[in-house]
């Protein structure tokens, strides 16, 4: 009787192993913070030996860099802007603001990750990730500027700073000031912020 020889032990997939580590680190950084998380905890969470982590990453800083590259918010933000359409500058700004806020609503992890980078690394990973999406951001600013008669003479940089300053932080200000009690109040707050972006806070009087 011929017996089948045992299958050779499958070799670990280095790409899959790296992804497991990055995913586990992402979960722990968000729940425990960067300094509150150890490499040993990440190894346990990923189901891997501690030494395996150091086969992929030099240290915890190097691992955070990989986490930020995998989970940074820019691709989601850029997608929201690129899918926004409007027949004029005002309509485009309103649609884009609504899409951006909606996209971030169910992704509090993106805001937390940016906070960690800003607090622990002075935003260096955020800055390093921006050049990849910069052309798309500049295209959005150019679309806002397509009707010069509708705008004051503002630079593309100023338009983007104002836009993200108001709408990327929308959910953060809800946490800071107290979330509106109902969806209608939340919509009203977003509409008011859009008015501020478009027209400022001073009355015409």
């Amino acid at each position: 009787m011929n017996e089948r020889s045992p299958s050779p032990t499958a070799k670990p997939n280095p790409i899959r192993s790296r992804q497991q580590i990055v995913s586990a680190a992402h979960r722990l950084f968000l729940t425990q913070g960067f300094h509150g998380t150890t490499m040993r905890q990440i190894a346990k969470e990923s189901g891997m030996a501690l030494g395996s982590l150091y086969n992929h990453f030099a240290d915890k800083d190097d691992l955070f860099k990989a986490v930020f590259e995998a989970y940074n918010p820019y691709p989601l933000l850029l997608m929201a802007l690129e899918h926004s359409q409007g027949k004029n500058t005002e309509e485009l700004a309103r649609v884009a603001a609504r899409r951006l806020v909606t996209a971030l609503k169910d992704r509090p992890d993106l805001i937390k990750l940016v906070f960690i980078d800003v607090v622990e690394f002075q935003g260096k990973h955020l800055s390093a990730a921006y050049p990849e999406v910069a052309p798309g951001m500049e295209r959005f600013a150019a679309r806002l500027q397509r009707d010069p008669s509708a705008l004051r003479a503002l630079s593309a940089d100023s338009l983007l700073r104002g836009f993200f300053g108001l709408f990327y932080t929308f959910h953060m200000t809800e946490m800071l000031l107290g979330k509106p009690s109902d969806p209608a109040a939340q919509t009203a707050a977003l509409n008011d912020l859009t008015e501020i972006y478009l027209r400022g806070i001073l009355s015409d009087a």
Side-chain angles (χ1 to χ4, degrees):
M1 178 177 178
N2 293 329
E3 294 185 3
R4 296 177 62 183
S5 58
S7 300
T9 303
K11 293 182 179 180
N13 183 322
I15 296 177
R16 183 179 298 173
S17 297
R18 181 183 173 89
Q19 290 172 339
Q20 283 180 236
I21 296 168
V22 169
S23 179
H26 177 245
R27 291 192 297 272
L28 291 178
F29 287 152
L30 293 182
T31 56
Q32 300 181 177
F34 179 76
H35 284 298
T37 300
T38 67
M39 291 292 272
R40 189 173 298 278
Q41 289 172 331
I42 295 169
K44 182 178 180 180
E45 179 74 10
S46 65
M48 302 180 67
L50 180 60
S52 297
L53 269 65
Y54 290 102
N55 289 334
H56 294 276
F57 304 100
D59 51 29
K60 193 167 67 169
D61 286 14
D62 189 35
L63 177 49
F64 182 82
K65 178 183 177 183
V67 168
F68 198 89
E69 288 173 350
Y71 292 96
N72 85 76
Y74 282 134
L76 180 70
L77 304 185
L78 186 58
M79 184 182 300
L81 299 184
E82 290 184 333
H83 288 178
S84 298
Q85 302 294 329
K87 62 179 181 292
N88 53 42
T89 297
E90 179 172 346
E91 185 175 301
L92 174 60
R94 291 185 183 281
V95 171
R98 187 168 60 251
R99 279 186 173 273
L100 185 67
V101 169
T102 300
L104 289 168
K105 182 178 181 180
D106 297 321
R107 293 296 308 274
D109 59 298
L110 297 178
I111 296 175
K112 289 181 181 179
L113 192 64
V114 168
F115 266 136
I116 293 173
D117 186 49
V118 170
V119 172
E120 304 294 349
F121 298 95
Q122 293 73 54
K124 73 175 184 179
H125 301 102
L126 195 63
S127 298
Y130 185 75
E132 186 174 344
V133 297
M137 297 295 185
E138 291 165 3
R139 285 194 298 271
F140 173 69
R143 290 167 64 201
L144 289 174
Q145 293 174 309
R146 63 189 172 189
D147 181 6
S149 64
L151 290 175
R152 287 181 289 167
L154 299 171
S155 68
D157 182 67
S158 295
L159 289 172
L160 290 174
R161 283 173 182 263
F163 189 86
F164 285 105
L166 284 171
F167 303 116
Y168 182 79
T169 60
F170 181 77
H171 295 294
M172 285 187 274
T173 56
E174 284 193 330
M175 290 183 276
L176 178 66
L177 301 175
K179 193 171 183 178
S181 57
D182 59 77
Q186 188 178 55
T187 299
L190 177 57
N191 288 339
D192 286 345
L193 276 182
T194 307
E195 284 295 314
I196 290 171
Y197 180 71
L198 291 169
R199 297 181 175 84
I201 63 172
L202 299 179
S203 69
D204 294 331

